[in-house]
Amino acid sequence: MHIKINNLTKVYGVSTVIDDLNLEISEINSIGIIGESGCGKSTLLRLLSGIEDPEHGNITINGLSPITNKKEFQAKIGVVFQKHNLFPHLSVHDNIELILHKVKKYSKKECNYKIARLLRQLRITNEANKKPAEISGGQAQRASIARALATNPSLIFLDEPTAALDPLMTNEVLKAITSLKKDGRHFIFVTHEMDFLKDFADYFIFLQHGKIVEQGDRSCLDNPKTAELREFLKIY
């Protein structure tokens, strides 16, 4: 994965959330974004995934811009939000089928085959015909991951995929995500789970007040260069 960001700025009202951010990294499979609440992590993820546009600046990921090549770029990615974001009136199966019909135009038979394989992979086959309110938080988040995988994206964005889950459910979701990395998929994710970051990320970005304070290989987390990152890691 190759990412290049130039002078990226995002403003909400009078607050500059991402402040003239610059970054270029190559040959990385998984990037973790960390920082205190309100530092701009989720905003940066939304900008990188093309969900939001910046006030200023450019982004290129694997040769495409989520700003100027939005439709083409978003056809190649999957996104998993903090909350599973499943449609509450649809079953797990139908949530995934909707995406396959809309994006891939698959037939009913093709959808059923694809969905069955995804549900087996995420270990939620028994929840296929249940609605989100009828399953656990961990199962719902795994269903959300299955939906994100339905279009066979090469790059997956994860925004705090274990937020608000208890330790058992968190472990379920993190195991599912880790197994996907072995399939050769690339990830950009926001997390507060430092053990997951150290195990899963090849590279990390530490944000503070919308700026990158420290970045590097995950091994750098064992010996931070900045006082800001050292203090942050004490909390987590």
Side-chain angles (χ1 to χ4, degrees), residues 5-236:
I5 301 172
N6 295 112
N7 308 116
L8 192 67
T9 299
K10 179 65 180 178
V11 178
Y12 294 128
V14 296
S15 299
T16 300
V17 182
I18 298 296
D19 189 2
D20 196 32
L21 192 146
N22 292 277
L23 175 73
E24 184 166 11
I25 48 179
S26 298
E27 298 181 5
I28 297 295
N29 294 328
S30 182
I31 301 168
I33 304 170
I34 58 174
E36 295 179 0
S37 179
C39 72
K41 303 185 299 295
S42 292
T43 298
L44 177 58
L45 196 80
R46 291 195 295 269
L47 293 170
L48 293 174
S49 61
I51 293 173
E52 294 191 28
D53 292 328
E55 268 63 43
H56 307 288
N58 297 297
I59 305 167
T60 304
I61 303 177
N62 297 335
L64 287 175
S65 167
I67 303 168
T68 58
N69 309 110
K70 190 181 293 289
K71 188 174 181 179
E72 184 181 359
F73 178 80
Q74 291 190 331
K76 297 178 182 292
I77 69 169
V79 182
V80 178
F81 298 94
Q82 284 188 32
K83 296 181 180 178
H84 56 71
N85 219 33
L86 299 170
F87 294 109
H89 63 291
L90 297 178
S91 68
V92 168
H93 178 284
D94 291 348
N95 262 280
I96 302 171
E97 185 179 55
L98 183 66
I99 298 298
L100 289 172
H101 272 315
K102 184 176 179 181
V103 178
K104 292 293 187 180
K105 313 299 182 186
Y106 283 172
S107 68
K108 186 79 172 178
K109 183 178 179 180
E110 288 173 321
C111 283
N112 287 340
Y113 174 80
K114 178 82 170 178
I115 293 167
R117 188 172 64 81
L118 285 168
L119 296 182
R120 283 196 303 272
Q121 185 178 11
L122 276 301
R123 297 184 294 109
I124 47 172
T125 299
N126 292 338
E127 286 66 48
N129 296 315
K130 297 177 182 178
K131 293 180 180 178
E134 299 171 331
I135 60 180
S136 73
Q139 289 167 338
Q141 195 63 298
R142 279 184 280 152
S144 180
I145 294 168
R147 187 177 62 178
L149 290 172
T151 58
N152 197 31
S154 56
L155 173 59
I156 300 171
F157 291 87
L158 305 167
D159 187 3
E160 292 277 16
T162 60
L165 297 181
D166 65 32
L168 181 59
M169 292 179 185
T170 293
N171 189 51
E172 285 182 5
V173 172
L174 295 184
K175 278 185 177 179
I177 294 168
T178 301
S179 71
L180 297 173
K181 189 180 179 185
K182 297 175 183 176
D183 293 341
R185 299 180 194 275
H186 294 170
F187 292 84
I188 300 175
F189 66 98
V190 169
T191 189
H192 63 276
E193 297 283 345
M194 292 301 107
D195 288 341
F196 175 62
L197 178 75
K198 292 177 180 179
D199 289 340
F200 189 72
D202 302 313
Y203 197 91
F204 77 92
I205 297 166
F206 172 57
L207 288 184
Q208 195 171 72
H209 307 304
K211 292 181 177 290
I212 297 176
V213 174
E214 190 166 342
Q215 60 181 296
D217 182 272
R218 63 185 176 189
S219 63
C220 299
L221 293 165
D222 295 324
N223 188 25
K225 296 177 182 177
T226 62
E228 291 88 345
L229 181 54
R230 285 195 295 273
E231 288 302 309
F232 173 78
L233 292 174
K234 286 179 183 178
I235 301 171
Y236 291 89

